[in-house]
Amino acid sequence: MDTNIESRVEEILTKLTLKEKVSLLSGIDGWLTAAIERLGITSLIMTDGPHGVRTDHGSPARMTSPATAFPTGVSIASTWNPMLVERVGAALAEETQALGCDVLLGPCVNIIRHPLAGRNFEAYSEDPFVAGKTGTAWVKGLQGKGVGASLKHYACNNQEYERFRGNSVVDERALREIYLPHFEMVVKEAQPWTVMCAYNRVNGVYASEDYYLLTEILRGEWGFEGAVISDWGANHTTVESIEGGLDLEMPGPAKYYGGLLVDAVNIYQIEEESVNNAVRRMLRLLIKAGRLDGKERAGSVNTPEHQALARELAEDAITLLKNEESLLPLNPGSIKTIAVIGPNAAELQISGGGSARVKPPYLVSPLDALRSKLDGKVEVLYARGCGYEEDVHQEQIDEALGLAKRADAVLLFAGMPENFETEGRDRPHMQLPGGRDELIRQAAAANRNIVVVLNCGAPVEMPWIDEVKAVVQMYYPGMEGGNAIANILLGEVNPSGKLTVTYPTKLEDTPAYLNYPGGRDVIYGEEIFTGYRYYDKKGVEPLFPFGHGLSYTTFEYCEIQGQEKGKVGESVRIDIEIRNTGDCPGKEVVQLYVRDLESSLPRPVKELKGFQKVSLNPGESTTVSFELNERAFAFYHPDKRAWVVEPGAFDVLIGSSSKDIRRKAMVIIEG
Ligand code: GLC
């Protein structure tokens, strides 16, 4: 804690009346906190969201200009590139300030538990280590520029179905090992100014009034110093919430706080000190945001630098899933005609729906980008091939097939219609909607040199996977997505994204299949075996595994070097040399997994405990080093209510994906 801030807080606190104190604990509208003019306290201003500044709510008044629409959360995480993510956080801070705000409501780090959840596009991963590292970088970048984050949604908010009142029933190990570690990492490594509590209940208690989550764990165990704000409309009580640890009820005007909270103090239902503690945290937040010092909000929005960064992020995230016969990259020098098919080619989806949506100043579609890059070199033909939502019609397919037959290569953009993935609603199924699968099938029959480009934020079934040579996932790539995907397809940029969620073959294979969506109670019956932890343990082959992503070059993983022995409580150092053995520059995400060979409780086959993205020219090599701390070997023991490392043998597995393990070494951890 900053002693200067603390002394200021105490000084102001003594001057506030009870009514004034309580006024600071609710918004005055959807986005502003209360001002107290006589003490020079101005309103703190918040806005969404995790991949761009939301400006469609007109508050504050400066919310007029559009903002840079970056790729969404799943793209941000699929870069596996925290340094790049930190740069994006800094750019988001500049845009937030330029648009007159102090807090940007992100990052959204919800664990992706089920492929149909509506906000998967906005979140990061099925794995808490990836989510934690990505969220930490995002918060550091943002707050490093003086804008506050709101780490959300705490906790176990993993589906949209019944999100306002659903009860996530999670065992303690799964809570600790899967649904909390990423929040813990971001809090300990980046100290977000705020944490946003989720709508749902966790084991019967609303997150907005859950003392165990908000006070015992978040503050008591992890040392969180900031303010807890409710999700919009997530507060349901007065006494339980203030005593549970909820500081700011949003949106305003006050509903359960305000007059009811003043009354609760006055009729001795609660001690005024409970209010004081929340007010202290709000005053700290207001001071940090400069709201007691009339700090000018500077910043810049939609600059060429931000546009370039949006493109760089999209390029770094795009994931090459399949590339048979090295069909990609397309070489403009050796092809005459390309057929571009699919509605998403001309109408790119830059995001899913809901509060995270950003109104961009422009957007570049894949078709526009391809046409401008290939102008005069390659003929680019286009046909929609199908509608957006409605079922496909054979005459539309026939028009597309006519082009496919004439072309040297086909680029089929198969994506979601607008808002098909959105906050507030889960997907009804895991198929590409509107008969796109049929379009792909027939186009592949017309021309084997077909590339399917996915424009979606979560896994889809691919019944045609064996009929196409290449598949690229561009996710929701933001306003510069067309330029980014064109650069990848034409080889100007070598793809380096990796999946942060497993892509299953069919819905029945997924970990939460038997328990999703649940009713009012959502039973997390798969316990700690979410994502790749489940597929590994059950021996179910996914369509594409966690951590998968191909490159236009190849990488050699040399023998693992480093410690063969360690001690409980001490870190273990692991080194490995990686070489680019191909003929073009490329980036590789070196992934390190740990396997506990013997444990007193069931553990996953392996768990991700380290990753680094390296950029190498042809023939170049570098040594990647990992410092594995105690948590890398530990599991949470529910009886001991503590993380434990059981001495014994562990495997360290290093590879290019969770299934493409290239090197293995044993480490003995001694008691
Ligand atoms: C929404 C979302 C949250 C968002 C908030 C403000 O319901 O759950 O992520 O920041 O309300 O729009």
Side-chain angles (χ1 to χ4, degrees):
M1 297 276 199
D2 179 327
T3 46
N4 292 334
I5 290 181
E6 291 317 299
S7 55
R8 272 191 91 182
V9 164
E10 292 310 316
E11 183 212 340
I12 296 165
L13 192 65
T14 56
K15 295 175 182 170
L16 290 169
T17 64
L18 174 60
K19 205 161 174 237
E20 287 172 330
K21 289 177 186 176
V22 167
S23 74
L24 293 175
L25 305 184
S26 299
I28 56 172
D29 63 13
W31 311 102
L32 277 69
T33 61
I36 301 176
E37 281 177 28
R38 73 178 187 86
L39 294 175
I41 297 174
T42 56
S43 292
L44 181 94
I45 303 174
M46 296 169 262
T47 191
D48 291 308
H51 46 267
V53 179
R54 178 182 176 186
T55 58
D56 66 355
H57 46 62
S59 163
R62 288 164 67 177
M63 280 296 194
T64 51
S65 93
T68 301
F70 287 93
T72 72
V74 72
S75 285
I76 292 171
S78 299
T79 64
W80 295 61
N81 191 344
M83 285 193 294
L84 176 58
V85 173
E86 194 161 333
R87 289 169 49 209
V88 172
L92 286 169
E94 288 170 357
E95 302 230 343
T96 303
Q97 288 178 333
L99 291 164
C101 299
D102 307 299
V103 171
L104 189 62
L105 301 169
C108 172
V109 298
N110 300 353
I111 288 296
I112 297 174
R113 171 177 178 256
H114 193 276
L116 300 187
R119 296 181 82 167
N120 287 344
F121 75 91
E122 191 181 333
Y124 288 154
S125 178
E126 68 190 28
D127 177 84
F129 190 85
V130 171
K133 286 295 181 189
T134 307
T136 297
W138 193 97
V139 170
K140 282 183 174 175
L142 187 84
Q143 296 190 164
K145 288 273 187 179
V147 168
S150 193
L151 180 63
K152 67 187 187 183
H153 303 81
Y154 184 66
C156 303
N157 173 212
N158 306 106
Q159 63 189 55
E160 292 305 285
Y161 179 76
E162 285 285 8
R163 70 166 174 159
F164 294 119
R165 55 186 179 187
N167 176 28
S168 300
V169 182
V170 198
D171 68 284
E172 186 70 12
R173 261 195 90 192
L175 186 66
R176 294 291 189 151
E177 292 189 28
I178 304 295
Y179 299 100
L180 292 185
H182 47 313
F183 285 100
E184 178 181 6
M185 190 187 290
V186 180
V187 165
K188 287 182 173 175
E189 297 185 17
Q191 272 295 349
W193 288 7
T194 72
V195 164
M196 183 189 293
C197 70
Y199 284 117
N200 53 277
R201 288 173 289 163
V202 180
N203 295 325
V205 181
Y206 274 110
S208 55
E209 57 192 72
D210 191 331
Y211 183 83
Y212 180 56
L213 284 180
L214 301 182
T215 299
E216 272 189 54
I217 295 178
L218 181 63
R219 295 195 173 104
E221 290 184 30
W222 300 344
F224 175 59
E225 300 166 358
V228 173
I229 73 175
S230 74
D231 200 340
W232 270 229
N235 186 25
H236 302 277
T237 58
T238 301
V239 171
E240 294 82 351
S241 295
I242 196 73
E243 299 208 320
L246 175 68
D247 301 317
L248 180 65
E249 175 188 49
M250 290 303 288
K255 191 172 178 186
Y256 293 96
Y257 282 6
L260 290 175
L261 191 52
V262 172
D263 294 348
V265 173
N266 289 336
I267 60 171
Y268 308 110
Q269 239 188 337
I270 57 171
E271 296 296 328
E272 185 162 352
E273 192 53 17
S274 297
V275 169
N276 290 345
N277 287 332
V279 173
R280 285 189 178 96
R281 294 187 283 258
M282 284 307 296
L283 287 174
R284 264 184 227 127
L285 177 59
L286 289 159
I287 291 169
K288 277 182 191 168
R291 294 295 127 248
L292 272 64
D293 308 304
K295 183 183 89 174
E296 273 305 305
R297 299 176 183 102
S300 54
V301 64
N302 186 31
T303 61
E305 293 76 18
H306 293 175
Q307 294 163 7
L309 185 57
R311 182 170 61 252
E312 182 183 353
L313 176 65
E315 289 167 348
D316 214 68
I318 287 171
T319 306
L320 178 57
L321 298 179
K322 180 180 181 184
N323 192 19
E324 213 170 84
E325 298 171 23
S326 298
L327 175 62
L328 288 174
L330 300 179
N331 175 0
S334 62
I335 48 177
K336 289 188 177 45
T337 307
I338 288 178
V340 177
I341 297 171
N344 296 66
E347 297 127 71
L348 172 69
Q349 291 303 315
I350 63 170
S351 174
S355 60
R357 202 165 181 85
V358 178
K359 185 177 66 181
Y362 66 88
L363 74 85
V364 180
S365 73
L367 181 62
D368 289 345
L370 287 164
R371 278 182 168 152
S372 99
K373 288 177 184 301
L374 295 172
D375 184 29
K377 296 176 215 157
V378 177
E379 185 188 17
V380 178
L381 309 172
Y382 173 67
R384 279 175 66 93
C386 69
Y388 243 123
E389 298 254 2
E390 67 284 358
D391 279 345
V392 75
H393 301 294
Q394 193 54 46
E395 63 275 12
Q396 285 182 306
I397 293 184
D398 290 344
E399 183 201 0
L401 297 184
L403 305 188
K405 286 170 184 156
R406 288 173 47 199
D408 300 305
V410 176
L411 299 175
L412 198 153
F413 289 80
M416 295 301 173
E418 185 168 14
N419 291 338
F420 196 81
E421 294 181 87
T422 181
E423 175 179 342
R425 187 180 65 240
D426 290 341
R427 278 191 291 166
H429 54 70
M430 205 169 73
Q431 284 87 36
L432 283 167
R436 284 160 176 72
D437 290 336
E438 182 54 24
L439 171 63
I440 293 169
R441 277 220 152 87
Q442 293 194 34
N447 188 331
R448 279 282 290 148
N449 289 333
I450 182 170
V451 181
V452 172
V453 183
L454 297 173
N455 179 203
C456 56
V460 290
E461 292 177 8
M462 303 181 206
W464 33 263
I465 188 65
D466 296 331
E467 300 157 47
V468 303
K469 283 187 182 174
V471 180
V472 184
Q473 171 59 287
M474 69 169 166
Y475 308 105
Y476 291 122
M479 68 189 197
E480 278 284 336
N483 285 326
I485 189 62
N487 286 338
I488 294 276
L489 294 171
L490 300 176
E492 288 177 38
V493 173
N494 186 354
S496 61
K498 297 278 185 179
L499 294 179
T500 60
V501 293
T502 303
Y503 275 44
T505 302
K506 57 187 186 302
L507 203 54
E508 293 79 352
D509 289 350
T510 53
Y513 180 72
L514 293 178
N515 291 301
Y516 172 87
R520 290 289 172 81
D521 284 346
V522 184
I523 312 297
Y524 284 39
E526 71 283 2
E527 299 181 341
I528 60 172
F529 297 102
T530 53
Y532 65 89
R533 291 170 168 84
Y534 175 83
Y535 296 98
D536 283 352
K537 201 75 176 178
K538 288 276 287 178
V540 172
E541 270 311 302
L543 180 62
F544 294 109
F546 173 83
H548 173 75
L550 303 176
S551 173
Y552 295 151
T553 187
T554 52
F555 297 96
E556 180 193 2
Y557 285 60
C558 303
E559 283 297 334
I560 293 176
Q561 307 295 325
Q563 290 175 245
E564 293 168 0
K565 279 192 175 24
K567 278 193 182 319
V568 171
E570 293 176 3
S571 64
V572 171
R573 166 119 177 195
I574 297 290
D575 298 327
I576 186 165
E577 185 182 351
I578 309 294
R579 182 185 313 283
N580 180 340
T581 48
D583 53 14
C584 69
K587 296 179 186 177
E588 172 69 329
V589 179
V590 181
Q591 301 160 45
L592 184 150
Y593 297 83
V594 172
R595 171 181 296 158
D596 190 347
L597 295 176
E598 188 183 347
S599 58
S600 60
L601 291 179
R603 294 197 68 181
V605 170
K606 59 180 177 290
E607 295 181 286
L608 182 77
K609 297 298 179 184
F611 64 85
Q612 285 185 42
K613 191 165 202 174
V614 293
S615 179
L616 296 169
N617 290 316
E620 188 184 4
S621 67
T622 187
T623 296
V624 177
S625 296
F626 297 96
E627 281 295 324
L628 298 178
N629 63 18
E630 181 173 23
R631 187 66 73 83
F633 302 95
F635 67 91
Y636 189 83
H637 202 299
D639 301 342
K640 298 174 181 169
R641 299 189 68 77
W643 287 89
V644 297
V645 176
E646 292 179 336
F650 293 79
D651 273 345
V652 169
L653 311 162
I654 297 182
S656 188
S657 87
S658 63
K659 284 285 191 187
D660 181 6
I661 298 300
R662 304 290 183 83
R663 295 291 178 177
K664 183 174 87 168
M666 184 176 284
V667 175
I668 307 294
I669 300 294
E670 294 166 342

